[in-house]
C-alpha cells in the first residue's frame, strides 16, 4: 500500500537513525510516529492519536509544540532513550514538493548540552570499553566540557574503573555484549548501554579518525601513542560523538592519557560507606562529605572538587602543592574574601565555550562569557597579592583575553533576547549596514516625508506626492498641471486622468530596502552573531585553560574556607609508612550531631613496624 510523501520521508530518516526516538519537525510541531509515538505518549504524558497515511491506513501520532522541546526532550533522555532531532532545513515557502528535513543532533544520556539535563556540579561522561583478552581499553569524554581521556587497565579492575568514572552511557561492541553487559549491570548504576557495530572497534580506524580530528601526523604529543586497546576505545567515543553532534567538535581539542595509579581508587562500597558524594540511607547529597566541604562559587570548581574528593592523590608533590596554596589562602583572609566575591560572578566558562564551538550558544550566554572573562584582570590583580608559589604560577597562566571582551562589548546588546531569531542582538554602532537597515525599518515614513519635501523644493511642484500601493510599490505622483516640470530622472510608471505616476532609481532602491528590511535585518544579525561566535571560538583552548585554572583556585578557596569554618589543621604529609592522627574528628558525623552534642575526638596510630591493624568497635 502506498504511503504519503511525509511518512515515506519519516521512515527513511528513521531507518538511518535506528535505536532513537525521532522528533520529526512538521510546521510548528515536533511529531513522533508509530512505535516512537507510543513510547513518547507514555513517557511524556501527551495524547496518542492517529495520522492518515494514504492507502497505508493510519499511523500512531503524538506531538508537542516545537518551542516546548526544552521541556519534553530532557524527559525522554532521562528515561534512558536516545533522541534524534529532525528539523526542516529549508523554508516551506520555497520547497518544491516535500520540505527537506535532516537530523541535526542526537541527544543521549551521555551526550548532551542541555542545562535541564546536566548537573552543573557533576560531569556527564560517555565511555567506551574494549575488552581484549585480560586487557581493557577505556575512553571517556564529557562533550559539555571538552574533556577526553583514554587508558588501559587489567580486566580485574574494570568494575572499579567504571565506578570511578560513573558514566551516564557506555559504548560496547555488539559482539562483546554477552560478556560486558552482565559486568556493567553489577555496577547497579543508572547507565545506558549502547551497542555499537563491531567494525568501529578497529585500531587502524581509530588512529585514522583521531589523527584526522586533531589534524596531526602522530599521537605522541598526547602521550597515548603506545596504547592499543585504549586507542580503540578512544576511536569509538570520537566516532559516537561525531555521529551525534554531526561533526561539531572543535572544542574537543585534545585527548589525555588517564593514569589511575596517580589516584587512590575508591570502590563503590567504600564510597557508599564513607558517604563521599551521597548519603548511605537516602542517597542525597546533603549530609555527605562533599556537601560539608563544597564551598565553591563556580560550576567548574564544584565539578573539580568532586573529582578531587572522589579520587584522592597518591603522589606527594601535588599534595604538597595543594597544601601550600590552601595554607596561603587560609591566612590571607582579605584576599580570600575578595576572590570569592569575584568568583560568584563567573559563569560556567567550561560549558559555555563548548556551546560556542558547537553553535549552541545563545546571545545571553555569549554575554555571560564576556562578563566572566571581564573578571579575569580583577582576579589577576588580586592574585598578585598572594605569597603562594602555586597560586603565582596559576596567575602567570591566566589570560585576560581583552580582545575577546572588547569585541563582545562592542557587538552584543546588554539585554539581548534569548533566541538568535528574535532580533535586537547586535548593539547599535557595531555594524553601519545593520544600523542603516534598522533606521530604514523604523523611519520609513519619515524618509518618505523628507523625500516628498525635498522633491517639491527641487522641482518647484507644490502638489507632488510620494505614495505607496501594493501593485506599484512606492511612486511619485504629479498632476498634469505640472507635467512640464518633470525632471529627467523621473520614469513614467502609470497614467491617470488628472495625473502621472513616476518612479526614480533612488526611490526603487529605497523601496527594496524598506520591503526587505525586516528579513535583511534578521539575516544580517544572524550572520553577524555567527561571525562574533566564531571570533570567540578561535580562543577556545585559552578559555578552557582559564576555566581549569579558575576551578583549581575555587577548590583551594573552598578548602581554606572549610578549614576556617570547622577549625581544621594543616597535616604534615610525607612518604613515611606511619599514620599519626591526634584528636581526629569525623568531618561528617560532627556536623550532623543533634544540637548540644559534641563529637569526641580520637587518636589513631598506624605503622608498618608497630601497628598494622586496629579493631574498631
Amino acid at each position: 500500500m502506498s504511503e504519503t510523501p511525509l511518512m515515506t520521508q519519516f521512515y527513511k530518516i528513521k531507518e538511518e537513525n535506528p535505536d532513537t526516538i525521532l522528533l520529526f519537525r512538521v510546521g510548528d510541531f515536533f511529531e513522533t510516529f508509530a512505535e516512537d509515538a507510543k513510547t513518547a505518549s507514555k513517557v511524556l504524558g501527551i495524547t496518542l492519536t492517529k495520522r492518515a497515511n494514504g492507502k497505508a491506513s493510519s499511523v500512531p501520532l503524538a506531538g508537542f509544540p516545537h518551542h516546548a522541546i526544552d521541556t519534553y526532550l530532557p524527559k525522554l533522555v532521562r528515561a534512558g532513550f536516545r533522541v534524534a532531532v529532525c528539523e526542516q532545513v529549508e523554508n516551506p515557502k520555497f520547497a518544491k514538493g516535500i520540505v527537506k528535513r535532516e537530523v541535526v543532533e542526537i541527544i543521549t544520556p551521555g551526550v548532551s548540552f542541555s542545562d535541564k539535563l546536566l548537573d552543573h556540579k557533576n560531569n556527564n561522561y560517555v565511555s567506551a570499553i574494549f575488552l581484549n583478552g585480560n586487557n581493557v581499553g577505556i575512553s571517556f569524554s564529557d562533550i559539555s566540557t571538552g574533556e577526553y581521556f583514554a587508558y588501559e587497565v587489567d580486566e580485574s579492575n574494570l568494575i572499579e574503573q567504571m565506578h570511578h568514572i560513573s558514566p551516564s552511557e557506555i559504548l560496547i561492541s555488539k559482539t562483546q555484549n554477552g560478556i560486558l553487559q552482565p559486568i556493567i549491570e553489577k555496577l547497579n548504576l543508572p547507565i545506558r548501554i549502547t551497542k555499537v557495530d563491531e567494525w568501529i572497534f578497529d585500531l587502524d580506524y581509530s588512529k585514522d579518525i583521531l589523527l584526522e580530528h586533531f589534524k596531526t601526523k602522530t599521537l605522541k604529543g598526547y602521550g597515548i601513542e603506545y596504547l592499543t586497546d585504549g586507542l580503540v576505545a578512544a576511536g569509538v567515543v570520537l566516532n559516537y560523538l561525531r555521529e551525534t553532534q554531526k561533526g561539531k567538535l572543535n572544542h574537543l581539542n585534545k585527548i589525555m592519557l588517564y593514569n589511575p595509579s596517580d589516584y587512590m581508587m575508591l570502590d563503590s562500597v567504600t564510597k557508599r560507606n564513607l558517604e563521599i558524594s551521597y548519603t548511605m540511607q537516602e542517597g542525597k547529597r546533603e549530609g555527605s562529605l562533599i556537601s560539608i566541604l563544597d564551598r565553591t562559587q563556580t560550576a567548574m570548581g564544584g565539578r573539580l572538587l568532586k573529582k578531587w574528593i572522589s579520587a584522592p592523590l597518591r603522589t606527594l608533590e601535588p599534595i604538597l602543592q595543594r597544601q601550600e596554596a590552601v595554607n596561603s589562602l587560609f591566612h590571607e583572609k582579605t584576599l580570600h574574601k575578595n576572590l570569592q566575591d569575584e568568583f560568584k560572578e563567573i559563569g560556567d566558562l567550561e560549558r559555555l565555550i563548548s556551546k560556542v564551538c558547537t553553535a549552541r550558544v545563545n546571545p545571553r550566554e555569549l554575554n555571560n562569557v564576556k562578563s566572566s572573562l571581564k573578571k579575569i584582570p580583577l582576579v589577576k590583580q588580586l592574585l598578585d597579592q598572594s605569597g603562594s608559589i602555586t597560586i603565582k604560577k596559576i596567575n602567570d597562566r591566566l589570560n585576560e583575553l581583552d580582545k575577546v571582551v572588547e569585541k563582545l562589548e562592542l557587538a552584543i546588546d546588554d539585554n539581548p533576547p534569548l533566541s538568535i531569531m528574535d532580533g535586537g542582538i547586535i548593539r547599535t554602532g557595531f555594524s553601519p549596514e545593520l544600523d542603516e537597515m534598522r533606521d530604514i525599518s523604523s523611519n520609513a515614513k519619515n524618509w518618505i516625508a523628507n523625500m516628498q519635501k525635498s522633491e517639491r523644493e527641487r522641482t518647484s511642484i507644490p502638489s507632488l506626492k510620494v505614495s505607496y500601493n501594493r501593485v506599484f510599490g512606492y511612486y511619485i505622483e504629479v498632476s498634469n498641471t505640472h507635467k512640464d516640470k518633470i525632471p529627467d530622472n523621473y520614469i513614467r510608471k502609470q497614467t491617470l486622468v488628472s495625473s502621472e505616476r513616476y518612479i526614480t532609481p533612488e526611490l526603487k532602491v529605497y523601496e527594496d530596502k524598506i520591503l526587505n528590511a525586516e528579513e535583511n535585518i534578521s539575516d544580517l544579525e544572524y550572520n553577524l552573531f555567527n561571525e562574533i561566535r566564531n571570533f570567540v571560538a578561535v580562543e577556545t583552548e585559552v578559555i578552557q585553560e582559564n576555566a581549569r585554572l579558575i576551578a583549581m583556585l575555587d577548590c583551594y578557596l573552598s578548602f581554606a574556607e572549610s578549614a576556617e569554618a570547622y577549625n581544621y589543621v594543616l597535616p604534615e604529609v610525607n612518604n613515611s609508612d606511619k599514620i599519626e592522627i591526634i584528636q581526629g574528628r569525623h568531618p561528617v558525623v560532627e556536623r550532623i550531631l543533634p544540637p548540644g552534642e559534641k563529637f569526641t575526638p580520637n587518636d589513631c596510630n598506624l605503622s608498618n613496624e608497630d601497628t598494622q591493624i586496629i579493631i574498631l568497635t
Side-chain angles (χ1 to χ4, degrees):
M1 289 190 290
S2 61
E3 297 171 333
T4 63
L6 183 90
M7 291 310 301
T8 299
Q9 186 186 49
F10 167 79
Y11 283 121
K12 182 177 182 296
I13 296 173
K14 176 69 177 174
E15 188 178 347
E16 294 166 356
N17 295 274
D19 195 27
T20 66
I21 289 180
L22 185 61
L23 298 184
F24 196 74
R25 181 71 178 269
V26 182
D28 291 334
F29 280 77
F30 275 110
E31 304 286 10
T32 57
F33 298 109
E35 291 303 313
D36 286 355
K38 295 177 184 177
T39 302
S41 101
K42 287 180 183 176
V43 175
L44 304 177
I46 56 179
T47 304
L48 182 67
T49 60
K50 290 183 180 180
R51 176 190 175 90
N53 187 18
K55 293 180 181 178
S57 187
S58 60
V59 63
L61 163 73
F64 52 83
H66 74 94
H67 57 77
I69 189 168
D70 287 340
T71 299
Y72 288 109
L73 189 148
K75 292 180 181 178
L76 290 169
V77 179
R78 282 196 209 98
F81 296 102
R82 297 171 79 235
V83 181
V85 179
C86 182
E87 282 280 9
Q88 295 174 174
V89 291
E90 67 174 336
N91 191 323
K93 292 179 183 177
F94 308 117
K96 294 179 180 178
I98 192 84
V99 177
K100 189 179 179 183
R101 292 175 173 86
E102 289 178 5
V103 170
V104 295
E105 181 184 14
I106 298 173
I107 302 96
T108 80
V111 184
S112 175
F113 287 90
S114 170
D115 293 333
K116 294 190 176 181
L117 278 169
L118 299 173
D119 179 343
H120 71 284
K121 289 208 170 184
N122 278 307
N123 281 101
N124 189 52
Y125 292 122
V126 59
S127 180
I129 301 171
F130 177 58
L131 185 61
N132 186 12
N134 291 326
N135 199 49
V136 181
I138 298 174
S139 179
F140 60 100
S141 175
D142 184 340
I143 189 73
S144 72
T145 63
E147 295 166 72
Y148 187 18
F149 299 92
Y151 65 114
E152 295 174 355
V153 295
D154 187 87
E155 183 192 1
S156 60
N157 294 323
L158 176 57
I159 289 182
E160 180 183 80
Q161 294 301 317
M162 286 299 103
H163 262 297
H164 173 62
I165 299 168
S166 293
S168 299
E169 184 172 9
I170 296 179
L171 313 174
I172 61 175
S173 164
K174 289 177 179 177
T175 57
Q176 293 189 348
N177 178 51
I179 303 170
L180 290 174
Q181 185 158 342
I183 295 174
I184 295 168
E185 287 173 351
K186 287 180 183 177
L187 294 169
N188 198 29
L189 293 172
I191 299 172
R192 177 188 167 89
I193 300 173
T194 299
K195 303 170 192 68
V196 179
D197 289 337
E198 175 66 21
W199 68 267
I200 296 169
F201 287 78
D202 178 79
L203 182 58
D204 290 336
Y205 173 72
S206 292
K207 283 182 178 177
D208 287 345
I209 67 167
L210 285 164
L211 292 173
E212 178 195 343
H213 177 75
F214 293 117
K215 296 178 175 59
T216 58
K217 293 182 179 179
T218 173
L219 296 170
K220 284 185 179 179
Y222 303 107
I224 61 168
E225 75 280 0
Y226 67 88
L227 297 179
T228 53
D229 303 326
L231 280 181
V232 171
V236 172
V237 167
L238 181 56
N239 180 81
Y240 192 66
L241 294 178
R242 278 183 163 189
E243 174 192 298
T244 57
Q245 302 307 302
K246 305 303 172 186
K248 299 172 185 173
L249 296 172
N250 291 342
H251 67 300
L252 214 69
N253 46 47
K254 64 181 173 183
I255 182 169
M256 291 182 282
L257 175 68
Y258 187 76
N259 190 353
S261 63
D262 288 345
Y263 311 99
M264 182 186 295
M265 288 293 125
L266 305 178
D267 60 43
S268 59
V269 176
T270 302
K271 282 185 178 180
R272 181 172 175 270
N273 288 341
L274 293 180
E275 299 185 307
I276 289 175
S277 300
Y278 303 100
T279 59
M280 196 156 48
Q281 298 299 325
E282 299 176 350
K284 293 182 179 178
R285 191 177 192 272
E286 195 60 38
S288 65
L289 179 61
I290 189 81
S291 73
I292 301 298
L293 298 181
D294 186 1
R295 290 170 176 252
T296 55
Q297 303 299 320
T298 70
M300 299 95 70
R303 289 193 294 272
L304 184 61
L305 187 72
K306 185 173 184 288
K307 290 177 193 171
W308 282 6
I309 293 174
S310 300
L313 290 169
R314 294 176 59 187
T315 311
L316 182 61
E317 187 57 34
I319 292 173
L320 296 178
Q321 286 177 1
R322 286 184 190 175
Q323 283 191 323
E324 190 265 346
V326 173
N327 188 45
S328 181
L329 290 169
F330 177 83
H331 290 99
E332 295 163 345
K333 308 291 186 189
T334 303
L335 172 62
H336 180 153
K337 173 70 168 59
N338 290 338
L339 279 172
Q340 280 198 318
D341 288 343
E342 298 299 337
F343 280 17
K344 286 174 185 175
E345 297 180 34
I346 294 179
D348 194 344
L349 280 172
E350 212 168 25
R351 283 182 170 161
L352 285 169
I353 192 59
S354 295
K355 286 187 174 184
V356 168
C357 288
T358 54
R360 285 177 174 80
V361 72
N362 66 47
R364 292 180 192 174
E365 288 171 331
L366 213 46
N367 268 353
N368 197 349
V369 172
K370 177 193 72 178
S371 59
S372 299
L373 292 179
K374 282 177 77 172
K375 289 292 176 185
I376 290 178
L378 301 172
V379 169
K380 286 179 71 66
Q381 288 176 19
L382 290 171
L383 294 179
D384 281 337
Q385 304 167 22
S386 177
S388 163
I389 297 170
T390 305
I391 288 174
K392 285 186 183 298
K393 287 179 180 177
I394 288 177
N395 195 22
D396 290 341
R397 289 161 60 193
L398 276 171
N399 194 310
E400 295 185 13
L401 289 166
D402 50 352
K403 288 183 180 178
V404 173
V405 172
E406 182 184 6
K407 183 86 164 184
L408 292 172
E409 192 78 69
L410 291 171
I412 307 296
D413 192 82
D414 286 337
N415 296 295
L418 194 61
S419 170
I420 303 173
M421 308 314 294
D422 288 344
I425 301 163
I426 305 300
R427 191 190 291 274
T428 301
F430 179 74
S431 165
E433 184 184 0
L434 180 62
D435 290 346
E436 183 188 2
M437 286 183 187
R438 285 174 172 168
D439 187 59
I440 289 167
S441 178
S442 60
N443 297 308
K445 288 182 179 180
N446 291 337
W447 192 92
I448 295 300
N450 290 334
M451 182 183 185
Q452 180 172 286
K453 181 182 177 183
S454 65
E455 286 301 295
R456 282 178 177 179
E457 291 172 356
R458 184 170 78 92
T459 62
S460 299
I461 303 173
S463 60
L464 180 150
K465 289 191 288 187
V466 180
S467 301
Y468 170 84
N469 68 35
R470 291 185 179 181
V471 177
F472 294 110
Y474 286 93
Y475 59 87
I476 299 169
E477 185 169 309
V478 179
S479 64
N480 291 338
T481 309
H482 300 285
K483 282 170 65 174
D484 57 331
K485 298 178 183 177
I486 299 299
D488 293 339
N489 69 321
Y490 277 31
I491 302 163
R492 184 182 285 108
K493 190 72 178 174
Q494 187 184 23
T495 300
L496 302 176
V497 174
S498 59
S499 62
E500 297 276 358
R501 288 178 176 175
Y502 302 87
I503 58 171
T504 67
E506 181 191 15
L507 186 58
K508 291 314 290 182
V509 167
Y510 195 77
E511 177 186 292
D512 288 339
K513 285 183 177 180
I514 292 172
L515 297 180
N516 297 318
E518 288 303 322
E519 187 174 340
N520 290 341
I521 286 170
S522 178
D523 289 345
L524 183 55
E525 277 211 84
Y526 181 80
N527 291 334
L528 286 169
F529 182 82
N530 280 328
E531 284 176 21
I532 296 155
R533 182 182 58 77
N534 291 334
F535 182 86
V536 177
V538 170
E539 302 294 345
T540 295
E541 290 190 55
V542 181
I543 293 173
Q544 287 175 329
E545 173 74 349
N546 278 348
R548 284 189 285 268
L549 296 171
I550 289 166
M552 289 171 62
L553 288 167
D554 201 8
C555 288
Y556 295 150
L557 287 167
S558 181
F559 284 144
E561 179 139 333
S562 295
E564 184 174 5
Y566 308 135
N567 195 28
Y568 292 159
V569 299
L570 176 67
E572 179 187 341
V573 183
N574 54 42
N575 280 323
S576 73
D577 59 4
K578 294 181 180 179
I579 295 176
E580 183 180 9
I581 300 173
I582 300 170
Q583 296 288 286
R585 294 138 48 206
H586 192 295
V588 177
V589 174
E590 74 169 352
R591 304 254 60 84
I592 62 173
L593 287 173
E597 287 192 29
K598 288 188 177 180
F599 184 87
T600 305
N602 295 276
D603 296 345
C604 178
N605 286 282
L606 291 169
S607 71
N608 280 348
E609 292 181 7
D610 303 325
T611 313
Q612 293 183 338
I613 299 172
I614 59 172
I615 297 174
L616 204 60
T617 63

